[in-house]
Amino acid sequence: MNGFPILTLMLLVPLVGAVACLLVDATAARRIALAATLLDFVLGVVLWANFDIGGAQWQFTERVDLFAGFSWALGIDGIALLLIALTVFLMPVCIGASWTSIEKRVGEYMAAFLLMETLMIGVFAAQDLYLFYIMFEAGLIPMYLIIGIWGGQDRIYASYKFFLYTLLGSVLMLIAMMRMVNEAGTTDIPTLMAYDFDPKVQTWLWLAFFASFAVKMPMWPVHTWLPDAHVQAPTAGSVILAGVLLKMGGYGFIRFSLPMFPEASAQFAPLIWGLSMAAVVITSLIALVQHDIKKLIAYSSVAHMAIVTIGLFAFNAQGLEGSMIVMLSHGLVAGALFLCVGVIYDRLHTREIDRYGGIAINMPKYALFFLLFTMASIGLPGTSGFVGEFLSLAGIYQASSWVALVSTTGIILGAAYMLYLDRRVAFGEQKNADAAAMPDLGLRELAMMVPIAAVVLWMGIYPETFLAPMRQDIAALDARLARARPEGDARLKAGKAQPAAEHSATAAAHEGAH
Amino acid sequence: MDLSHSLRLIAAEELLSVSGLILLLASAWAGDKASRAISIAAVAALAAAAFLTAPALCGGLFGPETEAFGGQFRADAFASFAKLLIYASAGVALIVAPAYFERLRAMRAEYPVLILFAAIGMGMMVSAGDLLTLYIGLELNSLAAYVLAAFLRNDTRSAEAGLKYFVLGALASGILLFGMSLTYGFTGTTSFAGIRAALEGGLSTGALFGIVFMLAGLAFKISAVPFHMWTPDVYEGAPTPVTTFFATAPKVAALALTMRVALDAFGSQADAWRQIVIFTSLASIVIGALGAIGQANIKRLLAYSSINNVGFMLIGLAAATPRGASAMLVYLAIYVAMSIGGFVAVLMLRDAEGEPVEAIADIAGLSRTRPLIAAALAMVMFSLAGIPPLFGFWGKFVVFQAAVQAGLVPLAAIGIAASVIGAFYYLKVVKVMYFDEPADKVTGRSDLAHGILLALSALFISPLGYLLTRFLGQLADTAAAALFHAA
């Protein structure tokens, strides 16, 4: 793969597809979009297959000094690889989810989605600070159009809120970036990740980046745009929003805030913990009382993202790895749950929980998948959710047992609202005749669900596949954070290993005593 | 410096003056039926003038070699950069006009001639090396502009715009003159170099008043807050091709002139005027954005948008560094392209009878009836809002970067945060065009020349524009270096 610009190619494929979609009719646009996303998925597989685990930190690097002041610099490490893989995996599913439900202005819709894919891959692959910013911000335009044109009833309010909220969060980050480049004299992200800023300056820079990523993530209390955006967006829009866009916030923390400003990160860790704990408890409780399925899942997203921030700011390898896995897992699971909502929404055109009930009887396959993803969302062992949440919470326990305690309640509350949802939608008696008459999953819907379900189980049963590519990068980040790591309150010590013989002797003595 | 050398340096102005006079005679004899031919000749004259001007920019010329008439006129790289933008904008104003005026049977042969005279005046403004040249250039431009604003004689709105423009413009000129007289009185000279040398030692209160009044007069011309009130009325009332002209060429000229005055003549006292510029800039950004929110007419909206954009450009001036000046020039170039795109798109909006459509409500659902115009206008709007990857972002980017490099981080932070307010009304236009149900108002055919111009400016502000950043940056750096060298 040496020298072959595969990342640029991955950016170009959807871009060319987007332009092509604008020029053709609906059927052809659907086909082009599916072909482009599948091709990008294949390229993603090639990318992963050629990624040298344990090799150089930055691979597939490309650099062309194309612009004044910044350059077309791409390259990935394990963290970016996983998130790119998530993106290219979810995109064909999104196109599939929109296959029949989008009837008006199909060409523009598919073009917006493909453009979105280009920008998302660009965010994860950018190695230049300003290139990252451009990709990061540009994503607002297609998403604004997706929500505003193809959304639900309050789509206009939701699209404005989404756009202005996230824009306001991001602009200050640009000024902080300029300040950094001014001091460090480079826009190269890997160089900046090793640059030591003065801790006093770090404080301000960190806050500016925080403003952006906290909104994107979203963290409590700046999460309010998310439920609106999710509820109003079309199914595929919700999938991509929950699946990938929210991960940009987490990616931002792990790529910028933590390695570039370790001291400031340590300084503000209590703030993050506080907000995350509040998010876990408050949004879980809010989710418990929702009548709208999409809103419920949106609030659960906020709670899950809080687990991510908790893991990130645990300042140890478990926490960091855990939050990466939570991000991947949540991307799949929340995406799949929104798909599930989309499936029944397509049939009944309502998201009211009360309008369903007992659909496990007429839609057994659907109920199976819905239950699986519900369980994965709760974090049942064997599913992807468990691995991530366990690692994150184990990580934070080393830093603060109180935070661990409060965040763990999120899992209990998560089980409560998800199981309650599943019970009301899929089980119980069939009180609504129209819901009882819905047909089960079709072939297209199965084709979307099965791959996600397979990966969710894979990640739950053998997470090593997903941990291996990023292990080295997490270790490097962990080493970088070591100097600023706050001392944990648990003061964990490794137990003294006793010699085996002595151990059995004491055991025997115990038995003897009885 | 002999006379022939001086005359060589003002070749572009000579060419434009002579062709302007000849075309005036031609229009007097041939009458209005020759207006199309005269327009074409005027565009050719502007193109030729651009060719005469360009070498100074490409060669990065500055210093005594470029000073004509004892330093009264400077044909340096900076002037050349501004003139190229002015000539291009004037050319566009000529190209878009016939289709608009002919429908009203109002196309008159004086139109191209007036534009040419305005272009000469603007060329003199940006080349000024002396307060007298400054004033003569400014008035030459303004007199032509007053007539242009009132060009539709039978239209009350146009007449009102012309009158308003004249009264307020005359007031601004008076303020400017007063400031100039104070400056002259306290420094004893009218040449920029002399003023600069005189102020180097320190600033007397009288000279400070001179600076304040001169900047106030110039703020009128660039329509910066608090001297912006005339802009929406004039932009709305003037015929749209003239508005296209007002939003581009005179803005470039007045801003370039402001840069000359602030960075050259008053360059040694940057601390004295920086506060004024910072206030004006932030006020323009905020009031330009807030004022636009309630507008129902797209021309008024674009007028507020131009106030807003001037605010961003002034952030580069506040930096008072070569980087800041270069950033302003880059922003100006992009701003001209965005404005041309915006107004040409507005010109293309016609209803079934060919009447212009200007109400924002009437372009509802434009993306379904006229997808190409809607897409171009949406690009202009996102670009004006400074959302990447559109090229408008780059203008804001370089300006804020210059401010950060000059240590004005709080100014940059406040300015960029205020840009979010502006995003709201730009989004509104996109929302109306893309989200709302079609109003089916815009059904008329549009002119081919308009379509080509719109496509060109849309291409320029598309992400492809970033490929030009190096080229544009180099040119702007050269021009800014010439400005600071002259200083």
Side-chain angles (χ1 to χ4, degrees):
Chain A
M1 294 312 290
N2 287 340
F4 182 73
I6 185 168
L7 288 171
T8 302
L9 188 65
M10 286 181 78
L11 291 173
L12 274 180
V13 166
L15 191 63
V16 171
V19 175
C21 281
L22 284 176
L23 304 174
V24 297
D25 66 344
T27 322
R30 290 191 186 105
R31 289 194 185 133
I32 289 174
L34 188 65
T37 48
L38 284 175
L39 182 58
D40 234 25
F41 175 65
V42 172
L43 285 171
V45 172
V46 172
L47 189 74
W48 194 329
N50 285 282
F51 187 81
D52 181 13
I53 294 170
Q57 187 186 4
W58 301 98
Q59 303 184 20
F60 308 104
T61 50
E62 300 168 27
R63 189 176 190 89
V64 189
D65 288 325
L66 210 51
F67 315 110
F70 71 109
S71 49
W72 181 258
L74 301 175
I76 53 166
D77 63 352
I79 296 170
L81 171 76
L82 289 168
L83 290 167
I84 290 178
L86 177 69
T87 311
V88 295
F89 178 76
L90 281 178
M91 275 313 288
V93 176
C94 285
I95 302 295
S98 327
W99 202 262
T100 52
S101 58
I102 300 296
E103 286 156 353
K104 56 168 188 174
R105 301 159 91 177
V106 178
E108 286 164 283
Y109 178 87
M110 295 296 171
F113 259 89
L114 291 172
L115 188 60
M116 203 68 227
E117 179 172 23
T118 300
L119 296 171
M120 289 185 299
I121 298 175
V123 163
F124 298 131
Q127 270 204 315
D128 186 289
L129 204 54
Y130 294 142
L131 188 65
F132 167 83
Y133 183 81
I134 290 177
M135 299 282 187
F136 189 80
E137 282 287 272
L140 295 183
I141 299 178
M143 204 61 208
Y144 171 73
L145 296 176
I146 289 170
I147 298 176
I149 301 180
W150 296 278
Q153 249 162 19
D154 285 330
R155 60 206 161 89
I156 291 170
Y157 171 75
S159 61
Y160 269 86
K161 194 167 177 183
F162 163 78
F163 196 100
L164 295 176
Y165 224 114
T166 37
L167 181 66
L168 184 62
S170 311
V171 287
L172 288 176
M173 180 169 78
L174 181 64
I175 301 294
M177 284 178 168
M178 289 171 172
R179 175 75 182 69
M180 287 161 69
V181 172
N182 205 16
E183 183 177 328
T186 175
T187 56
D188 187 45
I189 291 178
T191 316
L192 284 167
M193 282 168 73
Y195 188 90
D196 293 318
F197 289 97
D198 176 22
K200 282 196 202 98
V201 179
Q202 277 189 27
T203 306
W204 292 103
L205 296 177
W206 190 92
L207 282 172
F209 276 78
F210 173 72
S212 175
F213 299 143
V215 170
K216 204 85 178 179
M217 192 98 188
M219 291 178 73
W220 185 86
V222 287
H223 66 282
T224 57
W225 63 270
L226 184 74
D228 288 314
H230 264 319
V231 169
Q232 300 305 330
T235 303
S238 299
V239 173
I240 214 66
L241 196 58
V244 187
L245 286 188
L246 302 191
K247 275 69 204 173
M248 287 183 185
Y251 178 75
F253 278 123
I254 209 167
R255 175 69 76 235
F256 297 96
S257 300
L258 287 169
M260 292 183 191
F261 324 120
E263 277 82 14
S265 297
Q267 182 192 345
F268 285 109
L271 171 74
I272 297 271
W273 294 344
L275 294 181
S276 304
M277 286 191 290
V280 165
V281 177
I282 295 173
T283 55
S284 295
L285 290 174
I286 296 175
L288 210 46
V289 295
Q290 293 304 317
H291 299 293
D292 182 312
I293 312 182
K294 268 189 155 178
K295 224 168 198 167
L296 190 151
I297 301 171
Y299 279 109
S300 91
S301 289
V302 181
H304 280 105
M305 288 295 112
I307 303 282
V308 172
T309 42
I310 282 174
L312 288 174
F313 284 80
F315 288 85
N316 52 45
Q318 276 112 312
L320 292 167
E321 283 182 350
S323 43
M324 272 304 292
I325 295 287
V326 174
M327 282 205 268
L328 296 175
S329 155
H330 177 264
L332 296 168
V333 172
L337 284 170
F338 280 119
L339 277 183
C340 289
V341 179
V343 164
I344 50 177
Y345 182 80
D346 284 348
R347 287 161 171 68
L348 217 55
H349 295 284
T350 176
R351 295 179 302 262
E352 278 288 309
I353 297 175
D354 284 344
R355 294 277 288 106
Y356 298 96
I359 60 174
I361 297 167
N362 53 322
M363 299 178 76
K365 289 185 213 150
Y366 174 81
L368 173 73
F369 283 108
F370 192 50
L371 187 66
L372 172 72
F373 295 129
T374 301
M375 290 304 168
S377 176
I378 296 166
L380 195 75
T383 63
S384 58
F386 171 74
V387 180
E389 289 185 4
F390 183 81
L391 279 171
S392 297
L393 294 171
I396 195 64
Y397 183 64
Q398 296 176 30
S400 165
S401 36
W402 281 107
V403 179
L405 185 71
V406 175
S407 333
T408 312
T409 59
I411 300 191
I412 301 165
L413 289 169
Y417 62 72
M418 285 312 292
L419 289 175
Y420 186 42
L421 170 72
D422 199 27
R423 141 111 187 59
R424 283 181 292 170
V425 171
F427 301 107
E429 58 178 304
Q430 293 194 307
K431 52 189 175 182
N432 298 307
D434 47 358
M438 294 193 298
D440 205 352
L441 295 179
L443 205 58
R444 176 180 64 85
E445 288 155 343
L446 272 177
M448 298 187 306
M449 300 279 184
V450 171
I452 301 185
V455 179
V456 164
L457 290 173
W458 183 358
M459 204 184 283
I461 294 166
Y462 191 68
E464 175 63 16
T465 318
F466 303 92
L467 285 168
M470 66 179 173
R471 180 161 291 134
Q472 196 191 349
D473 303 302
I474 297 288
L477 179 56
D478 190 40
R480 170 111 178 119
L481 290 173
R483 64 163 197 247
R485 177 175 300 140
E487 199 182 347
D489 62 351
R491 296 185 211 294
L492 299 181
K493 280 198 192 112
K496 216 181 271 169
Q498 291 177 321
E502 201 180 313
H503 183 71
S504 54
T506 39
H510 262 287
E511 265 171 40
H514 281 287
Chain B
M1 236 14 73
D2 57 357
L3 187 63
S4 66
H5 181 72
S6 293
L7 290 177
R8 260 203 308 283
L9 286 174
I10 60 162
E13 277 71 22
E14 287 163 348
L15 174 81
L16 288 178
S17 311
V18 171
S19 33
L21 291 172
I22 294 174
L23 291 177
L24 188 60
L25 289 178
S27 66
W29 260 281
D32 292 341
K33 34 183 206 303
S35 54
R36 232 172 223 272
I38 291 171
S39 293
I40 293 168
V43 173
L46 284 169
F51 272 107
L52 287 175
T53 313
L57 178 60
C58 300
L61 298 186
F62 54 78
E65 277 301 296
T66 59
E67 290 181 4
F69 306 113
Q72 295 222 347
F73 188 95
R74 287 180 186 152
D76 56 7
F78 175 77
S80 169
F81 189 100
K83 275 186 216 172
L84 287 178
L85 283 179
I86 291 165
Y87 295 159
S89 319
V92 168
L94 287 173
I95 294 169
V96 298
Y100 181 89
F101 287 121
E102 275 168 9
R103 184 185 50 81
L104 301 167
R105 298 212 173 75
M107 185 63 197
R108 303 178 61 86
E110 289 91 343
Y111 179 80
V113 178
L114 284 168
I115 296 263
L116 276 189
F117 285 139
I120 302 165
M122 290 185 286
M124 288 175 68
M125 284 162 76
V126 299
S127 295
D130 191 288
L131 294 178
L132 293 177
T133 328
L134 179 165
Y135 193 72
I136 294 170
L138 191 71
E139 284 306 296
L140 182 53
N141 164 43
S142 299
L143 285 176
Y146 301 145
V147 183
L148 283 171
F151 203 73
L152 286 178
R153 284 179 304 177
N154 301 326
D155 185 80
T156 44
R157 282 197 314 168
S158 178
E160 181 195 329
L163 189 64
K164 265 190 186 153
Y165 197 23
F166 173 69
V167 172
L168 289 170
L171 180 67
S173 296
I175 294 174
L176 186 67
L177 265 183
F178 182 56
M180 281 161 57
S181 67
L182 280 174
T183 311
Y184 172 64
F186 282 88
T187 59
T189 171
T190 55
S191 96
F192 288 177
I195 295 171
R196 185 186 174 85
L199 293 180
E200 222 127 56
L203 191 65
S204 62
T205 316
L208 179 65
F209 269 88
I211 293 180
V212 171
F213 277 99
M214 279 189 72
L215 286 180
L218 290 170
F220 251 112
K221 298 293 174 188
I222 59 176
S223 65
V225 175
F227 305 106
H228 64 287
M229 283 79 97
W230 58 273
T231 319
D233 293 340
V234 172
Y235 276 31
E236 185 193 4
T240 314
V242 176
T243 314
T244 316
F245 180 67
F246 285 171
T248 51
K251 273 259 150 83
V252 175
L255 268 162
L257 176 62
T258 311
M259 285 164 78
R260 271 235 199 259
V261 170
L263 298 172
D264 184 359
F266 301 140
S268 51
Q269 292 292 343
D271 291 331
W273 52 259
R274 181 174 284 129
Q275 296 169 28
I276 306 174
V277 170
I278 289 178
F279 167 77
T280 315
S281 126
L282 290 180
S284 303
I285 293 173
V286 173
I287 293 185
L290 292 178
I293 289 175
Q295 299 306 325
N297 180 299
I298 189 145
K299 279 165 79 181
R300 281 186 87 84
L301 185 125
L302 286 170
Y304 276 104
S305 153
S306 84
I307 297 170
N308 179 263
N309 274 291
V310 163
F312 287 112
M313 285 186 251
L314 288 178
I315 286 183
L317 184 62
T321 56
R323 290 301 300 263
S326 159
M328 282 180 82
L329 291 174
V330 170
Y331 198 131
L332 265 177
I334 298 171
Y335 168 76
V336 165
M338 293 191 294
S339 293
I340 290 176
F343 281 108
V344 170
V346 172
L347 273 169
M348 291 176 77
L349 304 174
R350 309 258 196 90
D351 65 10
E353 277 89 54
E355 292 288 317
V357 174
E358 288 174 9
I360 295 177
D362 287 344
I363 60 169
L366 194 68
S367 69
R368 270 179 274 182
T369 51
R370 306 297 297 272
L372 290 177
I373 302 179
L377 198 51
M379 278 173 67
V380 169
M381 289 299 151
F382 280 123
S383 189
L384 283 168
I387 309 293
L390 294 159
F391 205 31
F393 168 71
W394 187 248
K396 292 206 170 62
F397 179 89
V398 285
V399 164
F400 286 122
Q401 196 176 35
V404 170
Q405 282 171 347
L408 300 171
V409 178
L411 172 66
I414 297 173
I416 204 165
S419 78
V420 178
I421 311 174
F424 176 75
Y425 66 84
Y426 295 123
L427 281 183
K428 190 176 99 176
V429 178
V430 177
K431 173 230 154 199
V432 169
M433 289 192 302
Y434 276 81
F435 302 174
D436 291 356
E437 288 305 310
D440 278 332
K441 234 356 204 303
V442 182
T443 45
R445 285 173 48 81
S446 38
D447 196 52
L448 179 67
H450 291 178
I452 294 171
L453 278 176
L454 185 61
L456 282 179
S457 44
L459 200 64
F460 182 77
I461 60 173
S462 76
L464 293 175
Y466 284 85
L467 298 174
L468 293 174
T469 49
R470 298 193 129 209
F471 175 66
L472 200 58
Q474 268 163 10
L475 287 185
D477 283 344
T478 319
L483 177 65
F484 273 80
H485 189 87

